[in-house]
Amino acid sequence: MNKIFGDIYHAVLKNGLQVIINSDHGTPKVSIQLWYNVGSKDEKSGQKGLAHLLEHMIFKGTNRLSESDINMITSKLSGYTNAFTSYDYTGYLFDFPKQHWLIALDMLADCMVNCTFKEDMLQSELKAVIQELKLYKDDYSSSLIEAMVANIFSDHPYHHPIIGYKQDLWSITRDGLLQFYRKHYSPNNATLVIVGDVNPVDAQREIESYFGSIPMINKQDRSISCATEDIKPTGVTLYRDVQRSQLLYAWRIPGTQSKMDFVISVVAYIVGESKSSIFYKRLVDDLCLATNVQMYVDDMFEHGLLFLHIEPINDDVKSEIEDEIGRVIDTLQKNGVTQEQVSRAMKQVQMDYLVQMESFQERAYIIGKTFLATGDPYYINSHLQFDTGMIRDKVIDFLKRYLRISIMHKGAVAPLPESEKEYWIALQDEGDRTDAVILSRKDRQTTVEPGRFVQSVHAKDPLFFNIPEHQKILLDNGLSILCYPASGLKIELQIEFDVQYYHDPVDLQGLGNFVFAMMQEGTKNYTKEALMDAFASKGMQLDIGLSYISLTLLKDDLQYGLSLLSDIVRHSLFDDEAIEKVRTQILSEITDYWDSPNDFVGQLVREHIYKNHPYSKNYLGTEESIIKIRRDDILSYYKKHISPFHARIAIVGAYDFNIKELVAESFNGWVGNKIGDIDFPILSKPLSQEIVYPIVRDQVVLVLAGLSVDYHSNFYDALLLFDQIFTGGAQRSMSSQLFQLREQTGLFYSIGGSLVLNASKQPGMFYIKTMVSQDRLIEAELAIKETIKLAIDRITDDDLVMAKNAIAHQLIDQFATQKGALESFLFLERMGLPRDYFKDRMQHIVRITKDEMINAVKHVLNLEHISVFKVGRF
């Protein structure tokens, strides 16, 4: 067997703990995950949401560890932690630098048997979970999926939402938590997965020392669940305050334990997951009934669902779309699929898998999930070992059995009729009042426990890591090549242009996005269909966005990929029919954008902070500006900005040939003009204001924002250090000041942001965002402002050391994947920084003093210049 991802070591301790280790020495990091064979499907009636709430409570303290210890230890040692609950399993993860990974074993073993679940902590966490439940209610796509799952599995435990029901959550007690914990959390109901820079023999010895003495329990067999199969399609429509409908169709399919996930992924790619898929071509490209089509899998263990998500061009074409779905499925039932379609889809699935497995955390997740589902610890190395002909037979059998119109379930999110809005608002108001009454009885009486065990934990110096340095080559036509050879089977490639949304003319906002969207609609040498098929035939992953085109491909396909890329940047066609199709898609995207408060709040902030500055423009544009754009505008932009003088191409991966010759040959004859930079106006800090945007949602999006500094500012690195302390930084530290506010009050499920958001050659922003129920909005705003006021006074010397170590390890994380390295090289060129910048940067950061950091923070963290933005129901 070809061990694509290295050796897998599998063992079972005497107490039943399953251990799976995958050693990989590419980066000095380790991902540690502990999986329990228990999920929401194991809950009894009246306790729905218990498994998920328990996951929230596990890290809230043991007999030895305080409530804050795990978060503080993780931050102190430059780690990351999180947890997850599914219908079928619960998991806990840590990512640590190599020199610190053993502490994860210590904490996970302690939490397996010694959690305390103190009553006060339960009360504040219950409030946070209720906020999480409200957050999901405002995610209409997720709400629709949840409603459809409930309908489809009416007699199976999957019927109930993982997060549970409010009436059950309110009734959960400490005793109930302990009973569930003691029943399910034991070594003989758990699997420990280790992926990273470890020696398997040494790791096994350490695991034995931490977990070996924990006794097993008399584990009862899981209840056998039955989901009745029937030729009985279901349907559900959610009416919400949106401008455009979303359609969702679903078919019940085998779950992960069937080991059919590769076949199912191939089916999804052929039928609807890519722009070369059958449904995308028919509904978007040929018939222009939809602006987007996606297919994805909800892969639960016992049963799965194959979803087809469609964004119709308007609400009048639903019947036409369903008629076409019927015709496509009828054709698939009669004719099956070709060998070419299967081969192409297999390559795409394999490429997806290679990309996923680059991340130690993703790889550990896949190992844990597939082992619990199938019992096979070696699944990752056998997953891609299939014969094409055999897969075609399996795909055809799958289509005939599972993809049938008679068992197609339907769902939709539809615009709320004007006559219903009053009732919808009343329902939300009543929900807030009920929550307020119940949760007022669950106030926390104690402050968050300080760290205790963390005082005995000491961070080791970061290990030496040879930060990669790219080679830079300049071609005669002005194109820059940034290249770096790396091990593996694939190559990451990206061409980037010095153009952004703020280059758009004021009256033609969205022009840049329009042009780049058009660059995948066909060239002089390829129709849209032929172009997408060309990429798909090699399993390449194509991504085109404003200012860039990226490809992920196998090393043998680099020359072919470069030729296709060259054709796009030199010979894009921009025919009138495609222009109108893309215009319709963008107008629909704008409609959806303004239906999503979590998205458009950023535009409201930019318009205020960057008033009369190019950064205030909307990258999507407005309905008025998109309608105004003509073909001449598109051609003019393309000729002006898609130029080698303003482009750089980065190539990172497994190549062993002359990159300069290959790129020069591919882009031979590409010429362009030089253009000058934008003359940006000087920005001044606006005074504090309150900006309110009414929209009917369950929660209010709350943002506090102000002007910060640019990347080259003397204050930038000091602010980056404080960002780690205050917001949690890039590692999303759960010991940050903002997260401590969440722990104490339960006001919100999550809160985060940055002191230097989007800082580049122009100033970035101070930006804090959360979502909170309308009844607690004022309380949340005041609490965040108070935290800002006291932020500087709470800084300790240990905080500064922790922040410096965290940034040092973030530099290593940047180069943990080929994509990360590529983006780092492009960043250096974009910002005009030397190639050895990252090697010298830590020396500067280490020298920053606490006083220097405080001085920088005072420059930005001033409430007189921080505005408040509220988007929601008022």
Side-chain angles (χ1 to χ4, degrees):
M1 181 186 298
N2 182 17
K3 298 175 182 177
I4 301 174
F5 307 109
D7 290 323
I8 300 291
Y9 176 94
H10 176 230
V12 184
L13 302 192
K14 292 180 180 179
N15 59 9
L17 179 68
Q18 300 278 347
V19 177
I20 306 174
I21 302 171
N22 177 216
S23 182
D24 187 323
H25 304 290
T27 306
K29 288 187 62 179
V30 184
S31 187
I32 310 98
Q33 299 187 11
L34 185 61
W35 292 66
Y36 288 98
N37 203 29
V38 59
S40 64
K41 74 179 182 184
D42 299 290
E43 298 161 347
K44 304 299 182 185
S45 178
Q47 57 177 212
K48 303 305 177 184
L50 181 55
H52 175 253
L53 179 60
L54 179 60
E55 172 231 301
H56 276 244
M57 291 296 298
I58 283 292
F59 286 170
K60 298 297 180 187
T62 66
N63 295 328
R64 179 172 60 116
L65 300 172
S66 79
E67 174 187 11
S68 300
D69 267 328
I70 290 179
N71 290 337
M72 293 181 72
I73 290 168
T74 302
S75 296
K76 188 173 186 178
L77 302 185
S78 305
Y80 168 77
T81 186
N82 210 332
F84 45 88
T85 305
S86 175
Y87 295 103
D88 303 288
Y89 53 82
T90 308
Y92 303 86
L93 70 86
F94 288 97
D95 293 336
F96 275 113
K98 175 183 177 179
Q99 69 271 30
H100 294 146
W101 80 273
L102 292 177
I103 194 69
L105 299 183
D106 187 5
M107 294 188 292
L108 287 170
D110 195 21
C111 290
M112 183 178 279
V113 287
N114 296 316
C115 289
T116 53
F117 306 129
K118 293 179 180 177
E119 193 70 40
D120 243 16
M121 299 171 196
L122 174 59
Q123 305 309 327
S124 62
E125 200 59 34
L126 265 173
K127 289 185 175 182
V129 171
I130 293 298
Q131 293 299 324
E132 183 182 4
L133 194 150
K134 286 174 172 283
L135 182 150
Y136 288 150
K137 284 181 66 178
D138 280 340
D139 182 345
Y140 297 150
S141 294
S142 295
S143 295
L144 180 59
I145 291 172
E146 185 178 280
M148 292 180 72
V149 170
N151 274 359
I152 295 166
F153 297 109
S154 58
D155 58 351
H156 187 279
Y158 290 165
H159 170 82
H160 304 286
I162 295 168
I163 198 169
Y165 305 113
K166 281 197 287 190
Q167 61 269 28
D168 286 2
L169 290 168
W170 290 332
S171 304
I172 290 175
T173 64
R174 178 178 181 273
D175 288 343
L177 274 179
L178 279 169
Q179 185 178 7
F180 194 83
Y181 170 65
R182 289 167 180 165
K183 179 179 180 181
H184 296 288
Y185 280 55
S186 68
N188 54 320
N189 199 40
T191 298
L192 182 66
V193 181
I194 311 291
V195 174
D197 193 4
V198 299
N199 178 290
V201 175
D202 294 341
Q204 175 66 19
R205 184 172 58 250
E206 296 289 354
I207 292 166
E208 183 73 49
S209 70
Y210 283 106
F211 288 90
S213 62
I214 300 175
M216 65 170 63
I217 62 171
N218 294 322
K219 189 175 69 168
Q220 300 176 0
D221 291 336
R222 281 179 122 167
S223 301
I224 298 175
S225 303
C226 178
T228 304
E229 290 198 54
D230 201 344
I231 305 175
K232 179 186 169 184
T234 63
V236 60
T237 299
L238 304 181
Y239 290 99
R240 297 293 184 263
D241 186 21
V242 297
Q243 300 176 67
R244 190 165 71 113
S245 293
Q246 303 287 312
L247 306 178
L248 194 61
Y249 302 92
W251 293 266
R252 185 168 140 182
I253 60 175
T256 311
Q257 62 191 23
S258 69
K259 293 190 176 183
M260 288 182 64
D261 45 320
F262 185 79
V263 172
I264 293 168
S265 296
V266 170
V267 168
Y269 259 107
I270 293 172
V271 178
E273 193 169 333
S274 70
K275 291 186 177 180
S276 61
S277 67
I278 296 170
F279 276 126
Y280 191 96
K281 287 180 179 179
R282 290 298 295 156
L283 297 174
V284 178
D285 291 334
D286 297 344
L287 301 176
C288 296
L289 294 174
T291 57
N292 195 24
V293 170
Q294 291 178 302
M295 182 166 268
Y296 47 87
V297 179
D298 194 347
D299 53 348
M300 301 162 280
F301 282 6
E302 296 178 44
H303 309 278
L305 291 171
L306 184 64
F307 285 105
L308 178 65
H309 179 256
I310 298 173
E311 299 174 15
I313 56 167
N314 58 55
D315 291 339
D316 300 325
V317 298
K318 181 179 178 181
S319 60
E320 293 179 67
I321 286 173
E322 292 186 357
D323 287 344
E324 185 59 27
I325 291 173
R327 282 190 286 269
V328 169
I329 289 178
D330 185 59
T331 301
L332 288 170
Q333 292 285 324
K334 291 177 180 177
N335 303 331
V337 292
T338 66
Q339 191 66 57
E340 181 184 357
Q341 286 175 306
V342 172
S343 177
R344 189 171 62 196
M346 286 180 66
K347 290 178 181 178
Q348 291 175 309
V349 173
Q350 289 165 346
M351 185 61 73
D352 277 351
Y353 206 60
L354 290 175
V355 172
Q356 274 187 296
M357 300 297 273
E358 265 196 294
S359 162
F360 288 174
Q361 185 186 116
E362 283 289 322
R363 197 185 310 173
Y365 182 87
I366 292 170
I367 291 171
K369 181 175 179 178
T370 55
F371 177 71
L372 261 66
T374 69
D376 183 358
Y378 311 105
Y379 196 69
I380 63 165
N381 279 327
S382 62
H383 181 66
L384 303 182
Q385 310 298 318
F386 288 106
D387 174 76
T388 306
M390 180 187 70
I391 291 297
R392 178 172 179 259
D393 292 339
K394 289 180 178 291
V395 166
I396 291 173
D397 289 344
F398 180 93
L399 291 170
K400 287 182 177 179
R401 179 170 180 181
Y402 299 106
L403 206 69
R404 310 195 322 262
I405 283 292
S406 60
I407 52 173
M408 181 177 78
H409 305 273
K410 301 178 183 180
V413 176
L416 185 71
E418 196 64 37
S419 60
E420 295 291 329
K421 285 190 177 180
E422 180 182 345
Y423 299 102
W424 179 237
I425 293 172
L427 285 173
Q428 293 179 312
D429 289 343
E430 178 59 31
D432 284 346
R433 285 192 292 271
T434 303
D435 291 347
V437 170
I438 298 296
L439 295 179
S440 67
R441 305 169 190 164
K442 297 182 178 295
D443 280 341
R444 178 168 181 159
Q445 302 301 318
T446 60
T447 58
V448 174
E449 293 178 351
R452 188 168 60 235
F453 186 71
V454 66
Q455 306 304 325
S456 64
V457 174
H458 302 287
K460 299 176 183 178
D461 290 336
L463 296 176
F464 172 77
F465 179 71
N466 188 23
I467 294 176
E469 189 174 316
H470 65 276
Q471 179 186 5
K472 181 177 179 179
I473 304 166
L474 185 64
L475 298 185
D476 292 340
N477 65 355
L479 178 64
S480 297
I481 306 170
L482 319 176
C483 53
Y484 181 81
S487 60
L489 300 174
K490 67 178 182 64
I491 289 174
E492 295 285 351
L493 179 157
Q494 182 164 311
I495 187 166
E496 180 181 87
F497 299 90
D498 282 329
V499 62
Q500 276 294 343
Y501 72 95
Y502 44 77
H503 288 87
D504 295 342
V506 174
D507 61 335
L508 295 179
Q509 291 183 49
L511 176 59
N513 182 61
F514 202 141
V515 172
F516 277 89
M518 285 296 304
M519 288 166 68
Q520 53 193 318
E521 290 297 317
T523 68
K524 291 180 181 178
N525 299 307
Y526 294 89
T527 64
K528 162 72 177 295
E529 181 176 357
L531 185 63
M532 293 300 105
D533 285 348
F535 286 114
S537 68
K538 301 292 186 180
M540 298 182 194
Q541 292 185 345
L542 170 70
D543 182 25
I544 299 182
L546 178 55
S547 82
Y548 71 89
I549 308 171
S550 71
L551 279 177
T552 303
L553 66 170
L554 296 175
K555 62 179 182 179
D556 292 339
D557 298 324
L558 178 58
Q559 186 170 10
Y560 186 53
L562 285 170
S563 70
L564 294 173
L565 183 58
S566 174
D567 205 50
I568 290 173
V569 301
R570 297 167 64 194
H571 304 304
S572 286
L573 200 54
F574 307 115
D575 70 78
D576 291 331
E577 186 177 346
I579 287 173
E580 293 314 310
K581 184 186 75 173
V582 171
R583 191 193 311 277
T584 300
Q585 291 173 342
I586 293 174
L587 289 172
S588 296
E589 190 176 354
I590 290 171
T591 299
D592 293 342
Y593 179 77
W594 289 100
D595 273 342
S596 176
N598 218 22
D599 293 332
F600 73 70
V601 68
Q603 179 61 31
L604 300 181
V605 173
R606 285 191 298 273
E607 289 174 2
H608 174 69
I609 302 298
Y610 297 109
K611 188 176 182 179
N612 299 322
H613 184 279
Y615 276 25
S616 67
K617 296 175 184 176
N618 188 329
Y619 82 97
L620 277 177
T622 65
E623 183 177 344
E624 180 184 14
S625 67
I626 296 303
I627 290 173
K628 188 177 179 181
I629 291 171
R630 294 291 172 259
R631 184 171 187 270
D632 286 347
D633 300 318
I634 293 171
L635 286 172
S636 176
Y637 184 102
Y638 181 71
K639 291 175 182 178
K640 178 179 181 181
H641 293 291
I642 309 305
S643 162
F645 280 108
H646 302 282
R648 57 193 73 90
I649 185 168
I651 301 172
V652 176
Y655 64 83
D656 53 6
F657 28 74
N658 190 311
I659 287 293
K660 180 179 179 180
E661 290 182 3
L662 193 60
V663 175
E665 179 184 352
S666 299
F667 292 92
N668 181 41
W670 184 28
V671 295
N673 301 313
K674 292 183 179 180
I675 57 173
D677 293 333
I678 290 180
D679 186 16
F680 288 105
I682 296 175
L683 284 161
S684 58
K685 294 181 179 180
L687 292 173
S688 175
Q689 290 185 39
E690 179 175 286
I691 291 89
V692 175
Y693 187 103
I695 188 170
V696 182
R697 293 295 184 270
D698 211 52
Q699 286 193 308
V700 177
V701 179
L702 175 64
V703 172
L704 282 77
L707 191 66
S708 185
V709 301
D710 63 73
Y711 190 86
H712 295 292
S713 166
N714 292 332
F715 289 141
Y716 181 87
D717 283 338
L719 290 171
L720 192 67
L721 287 171
F722 183 73
D723 198 32
Q724 187 70 33
I725 298 166
F726 186 70
T727 74
Q731 289 182 306
R732 293 168 287 167
S733 168
M734 292 186 185
S735 67
S736 70
Q737 292 185 10
L738 287 179
F739 192 82
Q740 290 305 301
L741 173 63
R742 180 259 193 214
E743 294 287 85
Q744 179 67 50
T745 64
L747 278 166
F748 17 71
Y749 170 63
S750 64
I751 183 171
S754 174
L755 272 79
V756 287
L757 182 68
N758 296 332
S760 58
K761 293 179 181 179
Q762 289 291 295
M765 291 186 290
F766 166 78
Y767 190 92
I768 300 300
K769 182 169 75 172
T770 189
M771 295 180 71
V772 63
S773 59
Q774 201 272 345
D775 58 300
R776 304 196 74 186
L777 176 60
I778 296 175
E779 182 185 359
E781 179 187 346
L782 293 175
I784 295 170
K785 285 182 175 179
E786 185 66 16
T787 303
I788 290 172
K789 286 180 183 178
L790 300 175
I792 292 176
D793 298 334
R794 292 173 173 170
I795 300 173
T796 67
D797 293 335
D798 285 345
D799 287 336
L800 182 58
V801 173
M802 178 272 295
K804 290 178 179 180
N805 286 337
I807 291 174
H809 288 102
Q810 286 168 26
L811 285 176
I812 296 174
D813 290 346
Q814 286 178 220
F815 297 92
T817 63
Q818 291 178 0
K819 188 72 171 178
L822 176 144
E823 289 174 347
S824 297
F825 299 149
L826 287 170
F827 171 79
L828 294 179
E829 292 299 315
R830 192 185 315 131
M831 297 299 295
L833 297 167
R835 287 181 295 147
D836 61 356
Y837 169 77
F838 290 122
K839 293 183 177 180
D840 298 333
R841 186 161 186 243
M842 273 313 300
Q843 297 178 18
H844 169 68
I845 288 177
V846 166
R847 290 194 294 266
I848 295 173
T849 66
K850 181 178 173 182
D851 287 342
E852 288 172 334
M853 182 174 68
I854 290 173
N855 184 45
V857 172
K858 287 179 179 178
H859 181 75
V860 172
L861 224 58
N862 183 346
L863 287 173
E864 291 182 2
H865 296 284
I866 294 176
S867 294
V868 180
F869 302 80
K870 301 173 183 178
V871 179
R873 172 170 43 98
F874 298 99

